[in-house]
Each structure stands twice: as C-alpha cells, then as structure tokens.
Amino acid sequence: MSSQLIEDHRSGADVHSGRDLCLLKSREFMVELGLPDGLLPLPSLDEVGYNRSTGFVWLRQAAGVTHTFNTIGKQVWYDKEVTAFVEPGRMHSLTGVKSKELLIWVTISEIVVSPSGSKVVFRTPAGLGRAFPVAAFQLNPPAAAVEGENKEEGAAAN
C-alpha cells in the first residue's frame, strides 16, 4: 500500500537518492517542519521524497531497522518504507513505524510537537498517546550545522 501512495505522490515531489544526500535531506525536512531532526534516524536510506503540494513524505531503505532512543529507553522499528502526510509540527497518517511497549510492538500513526515545543507526542491509531522531551530526538550536531559544514566543504573545494 505504501508503494502505491509513493507512486501517486511522486509527480511534483522533490526526490533524492543516495545514502548521504538522503540522510541530509531527511534531517532538513524535519527541521523545516519544526520536528526534531533525529525523529527518523535511518542511516541507510535509498530514497527520500517530499511532495510539498500534497504534504506527503516518504523514506525508503533496503531493510527495516530497529533504533533505540537511549535517553528515553525506547525501541522503535522502521519498515523499509516510511510514509506520512506532514504539516508544521505534525506527521499524520504515518505508516511503517512501531514502538516497543513492554513486550509488544505498537503502531504509531501520528507524531505531534506540543504547542510549547518541549514535548513530542506519539499517537496510535486508537488515539492513545505518549509524550517525550523533544531533546530525546535531537541530533548533535543539528541539521543546520551539518548543512553549513557541507557548504563550507564545497567552498573549500573550489
């Protein structure tokens, strides 16, 4: 189903491929949307796409991956395709993301930054939610610093 959604939204989308470029672009999209840049820590991305007119984002990788957010002690599983509709501070109709709660994997369907900007709320399809500090999902250095370094490296090469 995700593959069909991606194809439906590919026309007019910014599509990037290649591991390093995808990593950078995925972080940039998160920052642009007011979301923590480490929210989708997928180190081996093959493709990243963002259709700004429809608000649809997708990330593709060769295989699913589990990531542990050490500061909050949570394991999250990301499928080969992660898709969502986005707007500032919010990802909804999210597919391909599950969080481990006790001994079961729970589907995450929405991620929202609280109005104060200090918490990230994760919601299930049933509407149940859990909030964590934004800092738990921020990368060091922030995406803006990485982008600046890449521009400086490009300037140094000229």
Side-chain angles (χ1 to χ4, degrees):
M1 183 168 122
S2 294
S3 293
Q4 184 59 50
L5 268 174
I6 292 169
E7 295 312 313
D8 291 347
H9 291 274
R10 185 176 285 281
S11 178
D14 296 332
V15 181
H16 307 280
S17 57
R19 188 181 144 269
D20 292 338
L21 181 60
C22 286
L23 184 61
L24 177 65
K25 289 299 180 181
S26 67
R27 290 176 73 179
E28 285 177 359
F29 291 156
M30 294 293 108
V31 171
E32 178 183 327
L33 293 164
L35 297 165
D37 63 350
L39 199 55
L40 301 172
L42 306 173
S44 299
L45 289 170
D46 297 323
E47 182 178 87
V48 171
Y50 182 18
N51 186 323
R52 294 175 195 287
S53 64
T54 63
F56 186 75
V57 170
W58 72 88
L59 302 101
R60 281 185 169 159
Q61 54 188 352
V65 63
T66 301
H67 176 80
T68 301
F69 290 96
N70 292 326
T71 57
I72 57 173
K74 287 290 173 191
Q75 277 190 316
V76 179
W77 177 79
Y78 300 92
D79 201 353
K80 293 188 301 187
E81 294 179 347
V82 175
T83 67
F85 286 92
V86 297
E87 56 192 65
R90 180 177 179 229
M91 300 177 86
H92 61 95
S93 303
L94 183 65
T95 67
V97 180
K98 294 182 179 186
S99 175
K100 194 164 193 178
E101 297 294 326
L102 297 175
L103 299 174
I104 61 170
W105 289 98
V106 178
T107 299
I108 304 298
S109 62
E110 182 179 29
I111 301 172
V112 182
V113 174
S114 67
S116 68
S118 63
K119 299 275 185 187
V120 179
V121 181
F122 297 84
R123 292 197 180 106
T124 68
L128 299 173
R130 193 134 184 230
F132 297 98
V134 167
F137 307 98
Q138 293 285 30
L139 295 178
N140 292 316
V146 171
E147 181 181 340
E149 289 172 11
N150 288 342
K151 287 180 181 176
E152 288 171 14
E153 288 172 6
N158 290 331

